[in-house]
């Protein structure tokens, strides 16, 4: 079974650590897991992808703080994620 996880971060903070634990547990049960995350500290994850680069992360943070446009500046990152999901075809 192909499983996809999507989270803002991976391997750091509360939700990033939970995403990492879910990823590892599902792998240990034999599932094929791919984790997508916006910007993370774990660049060694072989079956995961960083969807957002550092520049877009910073721009998104500035816009969200100044204008309240949370997530509205990530059009390219969103298209990249959708493309990768279409290729992977999770269950």
């Amino acid at each position: 079974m192909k499983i996809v996880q999507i989270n803002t971060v991976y391997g750091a903070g509360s939700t990033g650590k939970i995403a990492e634990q879910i990823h590892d547990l599902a792998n240990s049960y034999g599932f094929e897991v791919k984790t997508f995350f916006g910007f993370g500290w774990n660049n060694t994850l072989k079956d995961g992808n960083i969807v957002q680069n550092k520049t877009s992360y910073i721009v998104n943070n500035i816009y969200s703080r100044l204008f309240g446009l949370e997530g509205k500046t990530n059009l390219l990152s969103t298209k990249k994620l959708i493309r990768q999901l279409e290729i992977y075809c999770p269950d």
Side-chain angles (χ1 to χ4, degrees):
M1 176 183 273
K2 289 182 170 181
I3 298 173
V4 166
Q5 274 195 109
I6 302 171
N7 198 36
T8 305
V9 296
Y10 181 86
S14 60
T15 61
K17 290 177 183 174
I18 291 168
E20 183 177 29
Q21 291 170 354
I22 291 171
H23 181 97
D24 294 343
L25 184 64
N27 267 338
S28 72
Y29 280 102
F31 294 109
E32 185 179 337
V33 183
K34 190 167 273 254
T35 302
F36 295 93
F37 51 100
F39 185 76
W41 291 265
N42 190 333
N43 296 329
T44 61
L45 182 64
K46 67 177 180 177
D47 46 3
N49 292 322
I50 299 175
V51 180
Q52 185 179 34
N53 63 31
K54 191 171 185 174
T55 303
S56 63
Y57 173 77
I58 292 168
V59 168
N60 184 49
N61 278 332
I62 291 170
Y63 270 81
S64 67
R65 284 176 173 74
L66 293 177
F67 306 112
L69 299 173
E70 180 63 42
K72 305 283 191 225
T73 60
N74 290 334
L75 183 60
L76 295 176
S77 298
T78 302
K79 285 184 177 187
K80 179 181 176 182
L81 174 63
I82 291 170
R83 227 175 310 129
Q84 292 177 356
L85 288 172
E86 288 173 345
I87 292 169
Y88 184 62
C89 292
D91 296 323

